[in-house]
Amino acid sequence: MHTGYKMKCDLSLDGRQKRECRPILTSCLTVALLFRKLWFMQEFSALDGAILIDKPAGPTSHDVVDVIRRKFGIKKVGHCGTLDPNATGLLIIVLGRGTKLSEKLMGDDKVYEGTMKFGVATSSYDADGEILETKPVPALTLDQLNTLAGEFIGDQMQMPPMVSAIKKNGVPLYKLARKGIEVEREPRLVHIYNFRFSNYAEPLGEFKLACTKGTYVRSVAHEMGQKIGCGAHLSTLRRSTSGKFDVADATPLDAVLKLTMAELEKKTIPFLKLSA
């Protein structure tokens, strides 16, 4: 229909008539786009959106995606930012058309709380890895730790750990690490907004850290240990916020798996609210 209008205007010998056709064409396009938008909005189901999960220690982020997909029979399920198996806290699970927003949500800043253990360095930079070295921990105060933590604030090029999902020639690094293969990694630009310890009782330091996506808190712990000279690893980690979402509003995974489909729909944050 629109093409017909355009052809009529182009074949007209009267410039005035050609100009008069343009508003008609514009109006037709506007109406068509409006109807398309209304149709698009009507197509959303109650399960097109996201649910906030409080992930327990143990399962991988993919495990959570898989169990929700199988439990509720939803074809499209994804997550917005990997949590290591032993990490807990906020995991945003996108459902149905909500998966189209995974990149947008994954790009949001994150806040973590956790514990670093000084004096022990591991292969994975966390408690899951093989112990590589143990050293005596020098006398440290909370003020000294926070002074050191302050050096991490701002932009920095961070070296990702070998035990990570980053791919090298299409192969995840953690798969190479399992074979005892270590490859050269490219440092990545990250930004740490805030990093502060709230308590220290040798050898454990409790901290809170706010950062951009892609920041490996495990690497921060490893580098802290290197700076102090005794080694360190990430003992525990919990994600408390991701963008505008807070773990206080999340539901434990075991509780989600007990929901009926109707209850899950009520828990789902609608697509249009997510995309706003």
Side-chain angles (χ1 to χ4, degrees):
M1 180 178 68
H2 301 150
T3 303
Y5 275 112
K6 189 174 188 304
M7 289 179 64
K8 182 178 180 180
C9 293
D10 289 342
L11 294 174
S12 173
L13 299 177
D14 190 331
R16 182 179 61 81
Q17 290 178 335
K18 186 183 293 186
R19 288 192 297 273
E20 288 176 350
C21 283
R22 287 173 184 156
I24 298 173
L25 177 59
T26 301
S27 297
C28 289
L29 288 172
T30 300
V31 171
L33 289 172
L34 179 59
F35 274 108
R36 182 178 181 276
K37 184 176 180 180
L38 290 172
W39 171 84
F40 184 69
M41 291 172 63
Q42 291 172 352
E43 287 295 306
F44 285 113
S45 77
L47 289 176
D48 286 325
I51 55 173
L52 306 182
I53 300 287
D54 187 347
K55 187 186 94 64
T60 66
S61 299
H62 180 73
D63 289 339
V64 176
V65 167
D66 190 51
V67 73
I68 289 176
R69 180 189 293 118
R70 286 188 286 106
K71 163 67 178 178
F72 297 102
I74 304 171
K75 290 183 179 180
K76 292 185 177 180
V77 183
H79 67 78
C80 302
T82 301
L83 277 175
D84 290 333
N86 271 348
T88 67
L90 181 62
L91 185 64
I92 302 174
I93 297 294
V94 282
L95 310 172
R97 286 190 174 182
T99 55
K100 297 180 182 296
L101 301 175
S102 58
E103 288 296 325
K104 173 182 181 295
L105 297 173
M106 199 177 297
D108 287 336
D109 296 332
K110 315 288 194 297
V111 177
Y112 296 94
E113 298 173 10
T115 306
M116 293 183 189
K117 184 174 183 178
F118 298 95
V120 181
T122 72
S123 58
S124 60
Y125 303 169
D126 64 9
D128 282 343
E130 177 187 352
I131 294 177
L132 300 179
E133 189 177 35
T134 59
K135 287 184 177 181
V137 181
L140 292 170
T141 66
L142 189 60
D143 286 341
Q144 287 174 325
L145 283 177
N146 281 324
T147 297
L148 189 58
E151 297 178 10
F152 287 83
I153 295 176
D155 289 339
Q156 61 176 279
M157 299 302 293
Q158 185 185 70
M159 183 67 70
M162 267 301 299
V163 182
S164 65
I166 295 174
K167 293 183 178 180
K168 181 78 172 183
N169 298 324
V171 181
L173 292 182
Y174 69 83
K175 289 189 176 181
L176 298 175
R178 286 174 183 170
K179 298 177 181 179
I181 301 173
E182 182 161 350
V183 297
E184 184 177 347
R185 287 99 69 200
E186 292 293 330
R188 308 196 309 176
L189 178 65
V190 299
H191 185 91
I192 295 177
Y193 300 101
N194 191 31
F195 177 25
R196 191 164 184 83
F197 285 84
S198 58
N199 185 53
Y200 178 65
E202 186 181 322
L204 302 175
E206 298 174 7
F207 69 91
K208 187 173 184 177
L209 184 149
C211 58
T212 53
K213 74 161 188 175
T215 302
Y216 281 93
V217 185
R218 285 184 283 142
S219 291
V220 175
H222 178 73
E223 291 173 28
M224 282 280 291
Q226 288 183 320
K227 286 179 178 289
I228 295 172
C230 64
H233 68 269
L234 186 64
S235 180
T236 65
L237 186 69
R238 181 170 177 79
R239 183 189 288 158
S240 53
T241 68
S242 179
K244 61 184 178 181
F245 301 107
D246 195 292
V247 71
D249 301 315
T251 304
L253 177 60
D254 59 350
V256 170
L257 296 179
K258 294 176 183 177
L259 297 176
T260 63
M261 188 65 79
E263 290 170 333
L264 180 67
E265 291 177 353
K266 291 180 180 179
K267 289 278 187 183
T268 302
I269 302 169
F271 180 98
L272 294 179
K273 186 175 181 180
L274 286 176
S275 60

